[in-house]
Amino acid sequence: MGPVRERKRLTRVMTVPGVVSELDDDQANSVNSDVHSSVNQDRIIIVANQLPVKVKRRPDNKGWSFNWDDYSLLLQLKDGLPEEMEVLYVGSLKIDVDINEQDEVSSVLLEKFKCVPAFLPPEIFNKFYHGFCKQHLWSLFHYMLPYSANHGGRFHRSLWEAYVAANKIFSQRVIEVINPEDDYIWIHDYHLMVLPTFLRRRFNRLRMGFFLHSPFPSSEIYRTSPVREEILKALLNSDLIGFHTFDYARHFLSCCSRMLGLEYQSKRGYIGLEYYGRTIGIKIMPVGVHMEQIESALRVADKESRIHEFKQKFDGKTVLLGVDDMDVFKGVNLKLLAMEQMLKQHPKWQGRAVLVQITNPARGRGKDLEDTQAEIQENCKRINEMFGKTGYEPIVFIDRPISLAERVAYYTIAECVVVTAVRDGMNLTPYEYIACRQGVSESMSSSESNGPRKSMLVVSEFIGCSPSLSGAIRVNPWNFEATAESMNEAISMADAEKQLRHEKHYRYISSHDVAFWSRSFFQDMERTCKDHFRRRCWGIGLSFGFRVVALDPNFRKLSIDHIESVYVRSKNRAILLDYDGTVMPQTSHNKTPNAEVISIVNRLLGDTKNTVFVVSGRGKESLDKWFSPCKKLGIAAEHGYFMRWSSDDKWEVCGPNSEFGWKQIAEPVMRLYTEATDGSSIETKESALVWHHQDADPSFGSSQAKEMLDHLESVLANEPVTVKSGQFIIDVKPQGVSKGVVAEKVFTTMAESGKQADFVLCIGDDRSDEEMFEIISSAISSGILSSNASVFACTVGQKPSKAKYYLDDPAEVINMLEALADASDPGSFTDTESDISL
């Protein structure tokens, strides 16, 4: 571990309530991170709700004593980080520290433990933790919706504001100690889901990861939250977002798709989300256990004779074990009902099978929890009265805190562990059990320690560790009758089978421990952030709409001042404009160009130095009608299959003269998918067929489009057509027809008429427009365009493109075109037609 750096004494955090509007306070102070720190040493700051330290008052009541919490995951994960890396912790304490002692406590924790405490005022803490975190987020993420005031936690704006205020206090503590160019930030769990936005506002290039330790619900559940988009956008200010299972990641990605229109891509095994030029990594990696700590606890339990004591206590009995938090989602009552059912259906286990149920103290509060506790007590009493007898109780219920040594002793003697949680993030109980059943042979006194190891698991299919335990018997905990049969199967199974399953599980958990998990997450964070300091970054947006735009140095926003100055100096200009998504917003229902667009186009056409074309995939009738006031406008319709230079010219077919018999093959296929995909439609053009799925369900529409693409490519393999996917479309058109061919024809005709273009503006938003951008470089090399030509290939929206420039949206395109129209030379206007003709 590296040396402690010299830092100024930490000031105490302001303890005033925070509100959402405070998010904008620091916008003017955003750090662009252009200058690198002189200290070149990587360090990681781990931020979580609670610090990995135990705190208690000294016996003399003067001051506090601190010790590491060895059971804290935050402390254990250091084993997987680089040995030379310095680790700093930021989090709150489990106790309330008087305001007059906070400076002293901060100094001691930083100096001796490299911990930075965040002190939350009691009024904020209660609303933040017991209110928003436990009542709203915890319930939501575990699929409990507040259908009534007594069921789950209803959303209250004051609780959300306390959550934001608490996250801001955490951010202030991080900012006090951070070196933005050298440090990595790793944020943990649902308590701090908006923290990435606070930090990203201050440090645009900060290297930051987030790991969610709870489930992430399906989009149908998540979308019920009144602050759903605020939380999603805040998480997307991270560079890497981690989940325990693919299911949780899939739900998150589905929310991003349905609410924000973001689609993920998988590249070389890594999942990434493109968001304003940044690629956010999605990490799927279940956390593991700390093997050395479990082995150490086994030695202690053996030394204290706990294992021997429990073996004697349950001599002749088959022990099933449950270890759960006292929580409404842990399914303890379902487990008790399953045990009751097993004893009824398989009387041979009466007097022999015992369920030891350990419940850790509750961390939440509320009527739901109280009802669950009362039901557990009632079920335990009933089952014990029904099946119990002298010297035998089928249910041993332990609802007090127990040491790790005592817990591993129970693991060691248990024949089977049963987990019936109805929803749980990870649940490491099965992993701990497997490790304990393996034992530490060199130190165990029991003669059994040298025999074959065996274990059995009955686990809920709704917990995070279930997918990684292929040898476990998976159950639907709501079906307690089936769970009862699975419990009977587990304890009745042949020893050889138990041994094989145990060996398979142990190989996995011993290699996928907590160090493996943290090492894997950190390596992915390094990989995701490797280009941070190469890219140009700036922040845009207010409140939780804030995000960082990150661009390749060669891909930049089109400067209106720059293009205007070049425009004025040029002699022959070619201006090629896409229509939908470029001068007309995709979301607009009325696709007719407004008076402003018509006026701008006519002013551009009024300068005889300009050759202006609208190059669109739309049909010629629509474009002819819409742009009828623009007499000198060139139009290329249906991606260039039809083309004319002005309204006085006739439409010419520029594609190969071919029969359209292929439509009789393609149209039935499209009709099939249209009937099966609600919200989709077919557009029939003279030269092409287009399937639209913009109004369909995003996931289903995208899936159907991929399937249709394969289907059409297969049935049209021998036809003279191309099948391409675009933005919410599948397009089938004749070969040799593209917007690139249109651009080449315009440039060639201008050159042949002695008006070789020295200024080219080409704007589009779709994949079909990339063909125009691509043709420009080859036009220069072939001499069609002057080698000194000023070329402005511009895409709409920040996305991977062959264009070197971008504008954010159609509104910016119109603003830019208006600036060019204002700079045009109306004196050059004549009533004569252009000399250029086909």
PDB file of all heavy atoms in Angstrom, residues 491-509:
ATOM      1  N   ILE A 491     -31.898 -34.338   0.946  1.00  0.00           N
ATOM      2  CA  ILE A 491     -31.340 -35.079   2.096  1.00  0.00           C
ATOM      3  C   ILE A 491     -31.423 -36.595   1.893  1.00  0.00           C
ATOM      4  O   ILE A 491     -30.792 -37.362   2.627  1.00  0.00           O
ATOM      5  CB  ILE A 491     -32.034 -34.669   3.417  1.00  0.00           C
ATOM      6  CG1 ILE A 491     -33.551 -34.854   3.346  1.00  0.00           C
ATOM      7  CG2 ILE A 491     -31.679 -33.229   3.762  1.00  0.00           C
ATOM      8  CD1 ILE A 491     -34.300 -34.444   4.621  1.00  0.00           C
ATOM      9  N   SER A 492     -32.187 -37.023   0.863  1.00  0.00           N
ATOM     10  CA  SER A 492     -32.277 -38.464   0.568  1.00  0.00           C
ATOM     11  C   SER A 492     -31.275 -38.898  -0.495  1.00  0.00           C
ATOM     12  O   SER A 492     -31.116 -40.097  -0.753  1.00  0.00           O
ATOM     13  CB  SER A 492     -33.698 -38.810   0.086  1.00  0.00           C
ATOM     14  OG  SER A 492     -34.662 -38.432   1.028  1.00  0.00           O
ATOM     15  N   MET A 493     -30.599 -37.944  -1.120  1.00  0.00           N
ATOM     16  CA  MET A 493     -29.716 -38.239  -2.248  1.00  0.00           C
ATOM     17  C   MET A 493     -28.519 -39.091  -1.812  1.00  0.00           C
ATOM     18  O   MET A 493     -28.026 -38.979  -0.681  1.00  0.00           O
ATOM     19  CB  MET A 493     -29.228 -36.932  -2.862  1.00  0.00           C
ATOM     20  CG  MET A 493     -28.536 -37.069  -4.206  1.00  0.00           C
ATOM     21  SD  MET A 493     -28.184 -35.444  -4.919  1.00  0.00           S
ATOM     22  CE  MET A 493     -29.816 -34.893  -5.399  1.00  0.00           C
ATOM     23  N   ALA A 494     -28.042 -39.916  -2.723  1.00  0.00           N
ATOM     24  CA  ALA A 494     -26.890 -40.778  -2.440  1.00  0.00           C
ATOM     25  C   ALA A 494     -25.651 -39.937  -2.161  1.00  0.00           C
ATOM     26  O   ALA A 494     -25.457 -38.877  -2.777  1.00  0.00           O
ATOM     27  CB  ALA A 494     -26.641 -41.714  -3.615  1.00  0.00           C
ATOM     28  N   ASP A 495     -24.798 -40.408  -1.261  1.00  0.00           N
ATOM     29  CA  ASP A 495     -23.603 -39.649  -0.876  1.00  0.00           C
ATOM     30  C   ASP A 495     -22.691 -39.370  -2.070  1.00  0.00           C
ATOM     31  O   ASP A 495     -22.077 -38.302  -2.152  1.00  0.00           O
ATOM     32  CB  ASP A 495     -22.821 -40.402   0.201  1.00  0.00           C
ATOM     33  CG  ASP A 495     -23.482 -40.295   1.568  1.00  0.00           C
ATOM     34  OD1 ASP A 495     -24.477 -39.539   1.670  1.00  0.00           O
ATOM     35  OD2 ASP A 495     -23.019 -40.943   2.517  1.00  0.00           O
ATOM     36  N   ALA A 496     -22.595 -40.325  -2.986  1.00  0.00           N
ATOM     37  CA  ALA A 496     -21.700 -40.137  -4.149  1.00  0.00           C
ATOM     38  C   ALA A 496     -22.154 -38.949  -4.992  1.00  0.00           C
ATOM     39  O   ALA A 496     -21.339 -38.153  -5.478  1.00  0.00           O
ATOM     40  CB  ALA A 496     -21.666 -41.410  -4.987  1.00  0.00           C
ATOM     41  N   GLU A 497     -23.486 -38.806  -5.152  1.00  0.00           N
ATOM     42  CA  GLU A 497     -24.028 -37.680  -5.927  1.00  0.00           C
ATOM     43  C   GLU A 497     -23.805 -36.367  -5.193  1.00  0.00           C
ATOM     44  O   GLU A 497     -23.444 -35.344  -5.796  1.00  0.00           O
ATOM     45  CB  GLU A 497     -25.523 -37.906  -6.191  1.00  0.00           C
ATOM     46  CG  GLU A 497     -26.209 -36.788  -6.968  1.00  0.00           C
ATOM     47  CD  GLU A 497     -25.711 -36.650  -8.394  1.00  0.00           C
ATOM     48  OE1 GLU A 497     -25.109 -37.615  -8.911  1.00  0.00           O
ATOM     49  OE2 GLU A 497     -25.915 -35.572  -8.989  1.00  0.00           O
ATOM     50  N   LYS A 498     -24.002 -36.400  -3.877  1.00  0.00           N
ATOM     51  CA  LYS A 498     -23.755 -35.190  -3.069  1.00  0.00           C
ATOM     52  C   LYS A 498     -22.296 -34.755  -3.191  1.00  0.00           C
ATOM     53  O   LYS A 498     -21.985 -33.567  -3.261  1.00  0.00           O
ATOM     54  CB  LYS A 498     -24.085 -35.449  -1.595  1.00  0.00           C
ATOM     55  CG  LYS A 498     -25.551 -35.642  -1.291  1.00  0.00           C
ATOM     56  CD  LYS A 498     -25.735 -35.913   0.211  1.00  0.00           C
ATOM     57  CE  LYS A 498     -27.191 -36.176   0.552  1.00  0.00           C
ATOM     58  NZ  LYS A 498     -27.371 -36.479   1.990  1.00  0.00           N
ATOM     59  N   GLN A 499     -21.421 -35.727  -3.208  1.00  0.00           N
ATOM     60  CA  GLN A 499     -19.988 -35.436  -3.302  1.00  0.00           C
ATOM     61  C   GLN A 499     -19.643 -34.787  -4.643  1.00  0.00           C
ATOM     62  O   GLN A 499     -18.908 -33.791  -4.696  1.00  0.00           O
ATOM     63  CB  GLN A 499     -19.197 -36.729  -3.117  1.00  0.00           C
ATOM     64  CG  GLN A 499     -17.688 -36.533  -3.115  1.00  0.00           C
ATOM     65  CD  GLN A 499     -16.938 -37.852  -2.997  1.00  0.00           C
ATOM     66  OE1 GLN A 499     -17.503 -38.871  -2.587  1.00  0.00           O
ATOM     67  NE2 GLN A 499     -15.664 -37.851  -3.360  1.00  0.00           N
ATOM     68  N   LEU A 500     -20.196 -35.324  -5.739  1.00  0.00           N
ATOM     69  CA  LEU A 500     -19.921 -34.763  -7.066  1.00  0.00           C
ATOM     70  C   LEU A 500     -20.413 -33.319  -7.161  1.00  0.00           C
ATOM     71  O   LEU A 500     -19.728 -32.447  -7.695  1.00  0.00           O
ATOM     72  CB  LEU A 500     -20.601 -35.618  -8.143  1.00  0.00           C
ATOM     73  CG  LEU A 500     -19.953 -36.973  -8.432  1.00  0.00           C
ATOM     74  CD1 LEU A 500     -20.837 -37.790  -9.373  1.00  0.00           C
ATOM     75  CD2 LEU A 500     -18.569 -36.782  -9.054  1.00  0.00           C
ATOM     76  N   ARG A 501     -21.596 -33.083  -6.642  1.00  0.00           N
ATOM     77  CA  ARG A 501     -22.150 -31.724  -6.690  1.00  0.00           C
ATOM     78  C   ARG A 501     -21.316 -30.779  -5.826  1.00  0.00           C
ATOM     79  O   ARG A 501     -21.075 -29.629  -6.221  1.00  0.00           O
ATOM     80  CB  ARG A 501     -23.610 -31.739  -6.227  1.00  0.00           C
ATOM     81  CG  ARG A 501     -24.533 -32.514  -7.158  1.00  0.00           C
ATOM     82  CD  ARG A 501     -25.980 -32.414  -6.731  1.00  0.00           C
ATOM     83  NE  ARG A 501     -26.834 -33.251  -7.570  1.00  0.00           N
ATOM     84  CZ  ARG A 501     -28.028 -32.894  -8.023  1.00  0.00           C
ATOM     85  NH1 ARG A 501     -28.525 -31.707  -7.729  1.00  0.00           N
ATOM     86  NH2 ARG A 501     -28.742 -33.706  -8.761  1.00  0.00           N
ATOM     87  N   HIS A 502     -20.904 -31.260  -4.668  1.00  0.00           N
ATOM     88  CA  HIS A 502     -20.082 -30.425  -3.788  1.00  0.00           C
ATOM     89  C   HIS A 502     -18.766 -30.046  -4.471  1.00  0.00           C
ATOM     90  O   HIS A 502     -18.352 -28.878  -4.437  1.00  0.00           O
ATOM     91  CB  HIS A 502     -19.797 -31.163  -2.483  1.00  0.00           C
ATOM     92  CG  HIS A 502     -18.774 -30.457  -1.635  1.00  0.00           C
ATOM     93  ND1 HIS A 502     -19.084 -29.401  -0.802  1.00  0.00           N
ATOM     94  CD2 HIS A 502     -17.425 -30.629  -1.530  1.00  0.00           C
ATOM     95  CE1 HIS A 502     -17.985 -28.960  -0.219  1.00  0.00           C
ATOM     96  NE2 HIS A 502     -16.970 -29.689  -0.635  1.00  0.00           N
ATOM     97  N   GLU A 503     -18.115 -31.019  -5.097  1.00  0.00           N
ATOM     98  CA  GLU A 503     -16.817 -30.754  -5.740  1.00  0.00           C
ATOM     99  C   GLU A 503     -16.958 -29.717  -6.856  1.00  0.00           C
ATOM    100  O   GLU A 503     -16.109 -28.837  -7.006  1.00  0.00           O
ATOM    101  CB  GLU A 503     -16.241 -32.065  -6.296  1.00  0.00           C
ATOM    102  CG  GLU A 503     -15.751 -33.011  -5.205  1.00  0.00           C
ATOM    103  CD  GLU A 503     -15.387 -34.384  -5.754  1.00  0.00           C
ATOM    104  OE1 GLU A 503     -15.634 -34.618  -6.963  1.00  0.00           O
ATOM    105  OE2 GLU A 503     -14.881 -35.213  -4.981  1.00  0.00           O
ATOM    106  N   LYS A 504     -18.035 -29.818  -7.612  1.00  0.00           N
ATOM    107  CA  LYS A 504     -18.278 -28.858  -8.695  1.00  0.00           C
ATOM    108  C   LYS A 504     -18.468 -27.450  -8.139  1.00  0.00           C
ATOM    109  O   LYS A 504     -17.888 -26.475  -8.634  1.00  0.00           O
ATOM    110  CB  LYS A 504     -19.507 -29.302  -9.488  1.00  0.00           C
ATOM    111  CG  LYS A 504     -19.789 -28.438 -10.717  1.00  0.00           C
ATOM    112  CD  LYS A 504     -20.984 -28.988 -11.493  1.00  0.00           C
ATOM    113  CE  LYS A 504     -21.170 -28.217 -12.792  1.00  0.00           C
ATOM    114  NZ  LYS A 504     -22.320 -28.730 -13.570  1.00  0.00           N
ATOM    115  N   HIS A 505     -19.270 -27.337  -7.093  1.00  0.00           N
ATOM    116  CA  HIS A 505     -19.509 -26.023  -6.481  1.00  0.00           C
ATOM    117  C   HIS A 505     -18.241 -25.462  -5.858  1.00  0.00           C
ATOM    118  O   HIS A 505     -17.957 -24.260  -5.987  1.00  0.00           O
ATOM    119  CB  HIS A 505     -20.598 -26.134  -5.401  1.00  0.00           C
ATOM    120  CG  HIS A 505     -21.968 -26.355  -5.965  1.00  0.00           C
ATOM    121  ND1 HIS A 505     -23.001 -26.941  -5.249  1.00  0.00           N
ATOM    122  CD2 HIS A 505     -22.489 -26.090  -7.195  1.00  0.00           C
ATOM    123  CE1 HIS A 505     -24.081 -27.000  -6.004  1.00  0.00           C
ATOM    124  NE2 HIS A 505     -23.795 -26.507  -7.180  1.00  0.00           N
ATOM    125  N   TYR A 506     -17.475 -26.308  -5.189  1.00  0.00           N
ATOM    126  CA  TYR A 506     -16.284 -25.810  -4.492  1.00  0.00           C
ATOM    127  C   TYR A 506     -15.236 -25.299  -5.485  1.00  0.00           C
ATOM    128  O   TYR A 506     -14.581 -24.286  -5.239  1.00  0.00           O
ATOM    129  CB  TYR A 506     -15.674 -26.887  -3.599  1.00  0.00           C
ATOM    130  CG  TYR A 506     -14.495 -26.355  -2.812  1.00  0.00           C
ATOM    131  CD1 TYR A 506     -14.699 -25.497  -1.742  1.00  0.00           C
ATOM    132  CD2 TYR A 506     -13.192 -26.670  -3.172  1.00  0.00           C
ATOM    133  CE1 TYR A 506     -13.634 -24.969  -1.019  1.00  0.00           C
ATOM    134  CE2 TYR A 506     -12.110 -26.152  -2.458  1.00  0.00           C
ATOM    135  CZ  TYR A 506     -12.344 -25.307  -1.395  1.00  0.00           C
ATOM    136  OH  TYR A 506     -11.289 -24.769  -0.706  1.00  0.00           O
ATOM    137  N   ARG A 507     -15.100 -25.991  -6.614  1.00  0.00           N
ATOM    138  CA  ARG A 507     -14.161 -25.511  -7.635  1.00  0.00           C
ATOM    139  C   ARG A 507     -14.535 -24.102  -8.083  1.00  0.00           C
ATOM    140  O   ARG A 507     -13.676 -23.247  -8.295  1.00  0.00           O
ATOM    141  CB  ARG A 507     -14.163 -26.459  -8.853  1.00  0.00           C
ATOM    142  CG  ARG A 507     -13.338 -27.702  -8.676  1.00  0.00           C
ATOM    143  CD  ARG A 507     -13.066 -28.386 -10.005  1.00  0.00           C
ATOM    144  NE  ARG A 507     -14.284 -28.752 -10.713  1.00  0.00           N
ATOM    145  CZ  ARG A 507     -14.931 -29.907 -10.553  1.00  0.00           C
ATOM    146  NH1 ARG A 507     -14.456 -30.801  -9.688  1.00  0.00           N
ATOM    147  NH2 ARG A 507     -16.028 -30.180 -11.233  1.00  0.00           N
ATOM    148  N   TYR A 508     -15.836 -23.847  -8.218  1.00  0.00           N
ATOM    149  CA  TYR A 508     -16.283 -22.528  -8.668  1.00  0.00           C
ATOM    150  C   TYR A 508     -16.060 -21.465  -7.604  1.00  0.00           C
ATOM    151  O   TYR A 508     -15.439 -20.419  -7.874  1.00  0.00           O
ATOM    152  CB  TYR A 508     -17.766 -22.568  -9.058  1.00  0.00           C
ATOM    153  CG  TYR A 508     -18.292 -21.200  -9.450  1.00  0.00           C
ATOM    154  CD1 TYR A 508     -18.116 -20.706 -10.738  1.00  0.00           C
ATOM    155  CD2 TYR A 508     -18.940 -20.388  -8.522  1.00  0.00           C
ATOM    156  CE1 TYR A 508     -18.565 -19.443 -11.095  1.00  0.00           C
ATOM    157  CE2 TYR A 508     -19.400 -19.126  -8.864  1.00  0.00           C
ATOM    158  CZ  TYR A 508     -19.206 -18.660 -10.159  1.00  0.00           C
ATOM    159  OH  TYR A 508     -19.645 -17.397 -10.495  1.00  0.00           O
ATOM    160  N   ILE A 509     -16.538 -21.692  -6.390  1.00  0.00           N
ATOM    161  CA  ILE A 509     -16.478 -20.620  -5.379  1.00  0.00           C
ATOM    162  C   ILE A 509     -15.055 -20.353  -4.896  1.00  0.00           C
ATOM    163  O   ILE A 509     -14.728 -19.236  -4.500  1.00  0.00           O
ATOM    164  CB  ILE A 509     -17.409 -20.892  -4.178  1.00  0.00           C
ATOM    165  CG1 ILE A 509     -16.922 -22.090  -3.366  1.00  0.00           C
ATOM    166  CG2 ILE A 509     -18.837 -21.061  -4.619  1.00  0.00           C
ATOM    167  CD1 ILE A 509     -17.535 -22.134  -1.992  1.00  0.00           C
TER     168      ILE A 509
END
